[in-house]
Amino acid sequence: MTNSIVTAGEELAAFIKRHPKLWVITGAGVSTDSGIPDYRDADGQWKRPPPVQHGDFMASTAVRQRYWARALIGFSALREAQTSGAHRALAALESQGYIQQLVTQNVDRLHQRAGSKKVIDLHGRADMVKCMVCDYQMMRHAMHSEMASMNPAFAALEARHAPDGDADLETDFSMFKVLDCPRCRGILKPDVVFYGDVVPSQRRLAAQAGLAKADALLAVGTSLMVFSGYRFCRAAHDRGMPLASLSLGVTRADALLSHQWRVPLTPVLEQAVRCLQSR
Ligand SMILES: [Zn+2]
């Protein structure tokens, strides 16, 4: 382990010790060690075409055919992903009593699988689908197996996995049959806040209420480029709370941060957990 990782871990542990009611926000960086690719590079720029927009998904049959045909291949990367050391270290910090609330921008549910309990899935969860008309819900894997039997030729294709259960597949999608709501024939959509949509207000208010009880904000593995996450940094800053970030790259909130460690997440979080245990 390099000195910079040990030092960052010790500094992070000291920060946590001073502010034991942490409000944590996480992003794609905590799941890249789980093999889930992300969209942005260390400069916060898109490294691949941006994901599907909510309005396009709702308005266009062709967009939905392309989305689901690609997901039929790519979703296995999300479903089969295992928790990373970063997920497990954050769960350990929670069980040590240091986390007031954990808000994640990820939709992979890996924090819960690692044992975190105080989690708000800000952008929803990719393993559920919901009818946009009648609110009927079903598990994503059930929808996929139904669509695989409706589209055997597509189900047999292979392509490179992409973020959010997508795959890099380009072909003629016009023959792909999309499953509609079994109850009302409405449009089924992953229970995820797509780009161009807004976080449901109840969820946003719950996250804000948690922030009001916290004594510091810690961002982990997120560039905070998306406003729905960045807004909490602004709110924390307005309240005079210290803000820290642990991430490989730049963040949109750099100017608001009181502490910033640009280091690999997992070893530094693990080092902080060890320091806090030994005190
Ligand atoms: Zn329905």
Side-chain angles (χ1 to χ4, degrees), residues 245-262:
S245 160
L246 181 61
S247 155
L248 274 178
V250 297
T251 82
R252 183 177 174 180
D254 279 3
L256 310 179
L257 298 174
S258 50
H259 298 71
Q260 184 169 29
W261 299 281
R262 290 188 59 178

Side-chain angles (χ1 to χ4, degrees), residues 154-208:
F154 282 94
L157 296 174
E158 285 180 16
R160 194 159 55 101
H161 290 161
D164 290 346
D166 189 15
D168 285 324
L169 175 70
E170 290 304 343
T171 183
D172 177 7
F173 296 109
S174 63
M175 300 303 285
F176 189 86
K177 297 186 190 75
V178 176
L179 183 73
D180 292 325
C181 172
R183 195 156 73 186
C184 79
R185 303 280 135 219
I187 293 173
L188 291 175
K189 182 181 154 291
D191 190 8
V192 162
V193 178
F194 280 7
Y195 283 78
D197 194 10
V198 294
V199 172
S201 59
Q202 215 178 355
R203 208 181 291 162
R204 175 171 48 82
L205 293 172
Q208 275 169 357

Side-chain angles (χ1 to χ4, degrees), residues 21-197:
K21 289 191 279 179
L22 286 180
W23 191 94
V24 179
I25 182 162
T26 69
V30 297
S31 291
T32 46
D33 282 353
S34 296
I36 299 177
D38 63 356
Y39 284 103
R40 295 179 195 270
D41 61 21
D43 296 321
Q45 304 298 314
W46 296 109
K47 59 185 178 192
R48 50 175 294 115
V52 63
Q53 293 278 322
H54 181 82
D56 296 338
F57 183 93
M58 293 305 296
S60 159
T61 304
V63 168
R64 291 194 298 278
Q65 286 174 312
R66 182 174 184 275
Y67 178 89
W68 287 115
R70 288 163 61 112
L72 208 54
I73 299 165
F75 185 65
S76 61
L78 270 189
R79 200 182 48 207
E80 289 156 18
Q82 302 297 317
T83 59
S84 72
H87 296 113
R88 293 189 293 273
L90 286 164
L93 286 177
E94 183 182 308
S95 64
Q96 289 174 334
Y98 293 113
I99 293 183
Q100 172 73 33
Q101 183 150 76
L102 192 156
V103 173
T104 185
Q105 302 169 92
N106 300 337
V107 295
D108 52 36
R109 303 280 290 176
L110 289 174
H111 283 301
Q112 287 89 343
R113 276 171 47 194
S116 287
K117 296 194 169 57
K118 301 177 176 177
V119 185
I120 293 179
D121 294 310
L122 192 63
H123 294 159
R125 50 189 291 182
D127 61 343
M128 300 281 298
V129 292
K130 204 165 154 181
C131 173
M132 298 306 283
V133 178
C134 75
D135 274 350
Y136 174 85
Q137 288 188 331
M138 68 191 285
M139 292 307 287
R140 175 92 168 251
H141 66 81
M143 181 183 183
H144 279 248
S145 29
E146 194 116 352
M147 281 194 296
S149 48
M150 290 158 69
N151 301 275
F154 282 94
L157 296 174
E158 285 180 16
R160 194 159 55 101
H161 290 161
D164 290 346
D166 189 15
D168 285 324
L169 175 70
E170 290 304 343
T171 183
D172 177 7
F173 296 109
S174 63
M175 300 303 285
F176 189 86
K177 297 186 190 75
V178 176
L179 183 73
D180 292 325
C181 172
R183 195 156 73 186
C184 79
R185 303 280 135 219
I187 293 173
L188 291 175
K189 182 181 154 291
D191 190 8
V192 162
V193 178
F194 280 7
Y195 283 78
D197 194 10

